[in-house]
């Protein structure tokens, strides 16, 4: 697979999020350069960026490795999102453009249509585009960048279940857009806070390789028949 040098960081990050590079695995410049069809220079630069973002760590005697976040770190990310997404919506109510509104309304129409049809795969991607556009509408590059990083990390650490009521979830998306269109920052903040809190309940922490092994061991252990021991 050959990709442009400037896209190496995105490609490695996407593969980390998708589990192509498992947590704790080594990331050697030579193998990555070969995989993505580039020289080692953009790979080295990408690893530095990904380390700053928290996806990669440098270990003594091992070099660059995929990070292994703790449960506490993962939980902090959800809490940060619950604080920042409502802020972004409030800012969007004051700073959005007509182009932002057009895209947001189009995504809500598509989302509500797919929700009625029960197409869960489309709903995941549409939801991501919706929140990315809402963040961009905040008019704050710093806030948009933080929310983008949060979404990447949360997708890496968590599996997201389909909402019990996709129709209701997309009705909330519609209410957010209505508040943003009216320029009602407080309403946009409140509706987004409620929506984010509900969505957080659908997140299930992914297990890393070590935790998966431990979980398999726990589940493979059979209960002792204490009744037979008493006789």
């Amino acid at each position: 697979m050959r990709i442009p040098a400037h896209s190496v960081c995105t490609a490695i990050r996407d593969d980390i999020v998708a589990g192509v590079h498992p947590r704790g695995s080594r990331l050697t410049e030579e193998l990555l350069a070969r995989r993505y069809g580039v020289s080692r220079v953009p790979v080295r630069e990408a690893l530095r960026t990904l380390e700053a973002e928290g996806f990669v760590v440098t270990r003594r005697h091992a070099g660059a490795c995929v990070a292994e976040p703790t449960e506490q770190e993962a939980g902090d990310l959800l809490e940060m999102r619950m604080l920042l997404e409502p802020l972004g919506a409030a800012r969007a109510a004051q700073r959005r453009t007509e182009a932002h509104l057009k895209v947001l309304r189009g995504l809500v129409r598509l989302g509500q249509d797919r929700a009625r049809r029960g197409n869960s795969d489309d709903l995941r991607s549409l939801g991501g585009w919706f929140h990315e556009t809402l963040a961009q509408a905040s008019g704050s590059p710093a806030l948009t960048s933080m929310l983008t990083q949060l979404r990447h990390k949360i997708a890496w650490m968590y599996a997201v279940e389909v909402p019990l009521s996709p129709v209701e979830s997309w009705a909330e998306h519609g209410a957010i857009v209505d508040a943003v269109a009216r320029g009602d920052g407080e309403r946009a903040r409140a509706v987004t806070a409620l929506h984010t809190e509900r969505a957080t309940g659908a997140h299930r922490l992914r297990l890393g390789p070590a935790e998966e092994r431990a979980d398999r061991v726990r589940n493979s252990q059979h209960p002792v028949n204490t009744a037979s021991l008493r006789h």
Side-chain angles (χ1 to χ4, degrees):
M1 176 176 66
R2 178 172 290 277
I3 63 172
H6 68 271
S7 301
V8 173
C9 184
T10 300
I12 298 175
R13 185 195 299 110
D14 287 348
D15 280 347
I16 289 175
V17 171
V20 174
H21 305 302
R23 280 177 274 184
S25 63
R26 291 187 63 193
L27 297 169
T28 64
E29 292 179 9
E30 182 180 356
L31 292 179
L32 291 174
R34 191 180 309 146
R35 172 178 173 80
Y36 301 111
V38 296
S39 71
R40 294 173 64 169
V41 174
V43 169
R44 192 175 304 127
E45 293 173 354
L47 291 177
R48 281 198 292 263
T49 299
L50 293 170
E51 184 168 16
E53 292 179 357
F55 288 97
V56 171
V57 295
T58 300
R59 292 177 176 160
R60 192 176 182 183
H61 306 308
C65 300
V66 179
E68 297 179 89
T70 64
E71 267 189 63
Q72 181 176 328
E73 290 169 337
D76 287 345
L77 293 177
L78 290 180
E79 189 170 353
M80 289 168 64
R81 192 185 68 167
M82 290 175 67
L83 294 172
L84 292 179
E85 283 202 346
L87 173 62
R91 293 286 184 271
Q94 305 303 322
R95 302 174 181 173
R96 88 295 185 280
T97 65
E98 288 303 314
H100 289 133
L101 283 179
K102 183 177 180 179
V103 173
L104 288 168
R105 284 169 171 155
L107 289 170
V108 167
R109 284 195 298 271
L110 283 172
Q112 290 176 340
D113 177 68
R114 299 299 190 274
R116 286 191 293 269
R117 297 184 185 189
N119 194 326
S120 59
D121 290 338
D122 281 355
L123 289 179
R124 288 192 181 93
S125 57
L126 288 171
W129 292 338
F130 176 89
H131 287 287
E132 182 176 343
T133 305
L134 186 64
Q136 292 171 353
S138 71
S140 171
L143 182 57
T144 301
S145 177
M146 291 179 69
L147 285 169
T148 298
Q149 283 196 38
L150 280 174
R151 280 194 298 276
H152 285 313
K153 288 186 178 178
I154 288 170
W156 174 39
M157 298 182 196
Y158 288 91
V160 182
E161 299 173 352
V162 177
L164 291 178
S165 177
V167 172
E168 182 179 343
S169 177
W170 277 92
E172 292 171 359
H173 284 89
I176 293 170
V177 175
D178 288 343
V180 168
R182 292 196 306 269
D184 189 341
E186 287 309 307
R187 173 67 176 167
R189 184 194 298 268
V191 176
T192 304
L194 178 62
H195 173 72
T196 306
E197 183 178 355
R198 288 178 176 172
T200 296
H203 288 69
R204 296 291 175 265
L205 194 63
R206 299 182 193 272
L207 297 177
E211 291 90 343
E212 286 175 353
R213 287 193 295 272
D215 189 59
R216 285 196 295 269
V217 169
R218 284 194 300 270
N219 291 334
S220 66
Q221 291 175 341
H222 300 288
V224 176
N225 186 347
T226 55
S228 66
L229 294 178
R230 289 195 298 266
H231 298 289

